[in-house]
Amino acid sequence: MNGNTKTIQIEERTFLIQKMNAKTSLKLAKTLLAKALPAFSIFLEEKKIKQIETIKENDMFLAIQNCLDTLEDTDLDKVIDTSLQHCSEILPAGTANVLNIDGSYGVAGIDMDVILTLRLVTEVLVFNYEGFFDGNLWRSKFSPVVDTFRQNVKM
């Protein structure tokens, strides 16, 4: 598998998780952050207090779960639909999209399985945003832009 996909096992089933394109990822991040920033800020504050350098996967699952709890129904629909459209189940005959673009389910029974749906949504979000909150990543990506801005603008 390349860095754009990840295979996971959930209750003897195999799913393929896919990275979102940049535009979709940013739109979804906007929804998540605009509506649920307090859930993540509590998470990041705990990380700072405990002086933890890296985020553990279970901690990220809990932060995303808290984040999802704060969303309104329309925003939650957007998060769930976008996430489920980025995973498929690997079946003997090939892969089947969990949720098709038209909103129909490509895998029978998932629409009635709350736990599996929550797990898949969380897996997709963790896979797509796992490096998003790493302060070192932000500094390394944006410090050249900030440095250039500071050089060109007198404060």
Side-chain angles (χ1 to χ4, degrees), residues 117-132:
T117 297
L118 180 59
R119 179 73 191 270
L120 289 172
V121 168
T122 305
E123 289 283 356
V124 169
L125 294 175
V126 167
F127 183 58
N128 279 275
Y129 298 112
E130 62 192 342
F132 189 75

Side-chain angles (χ1 to χ4, degrees), residues 4 8 38 43 45 80 95 100 104 132:
N4 292 325
I8 61 167
F43 169 69
E45 189 60 32
I80 292 169
T95 60
N100 298 310
S104 64
F132 189 75

Side-chain angles (χ1 to χ4, degrees), residues 1 3 34 62 75 78 91 106 110-112 119 131:
M1 298 283 142
L62 291 173
D75 295 323
K78 180 179 178 180
L91 301 168
I110 288 185
D111 59 326
M112 302 304 283
R119 179 73 191 270

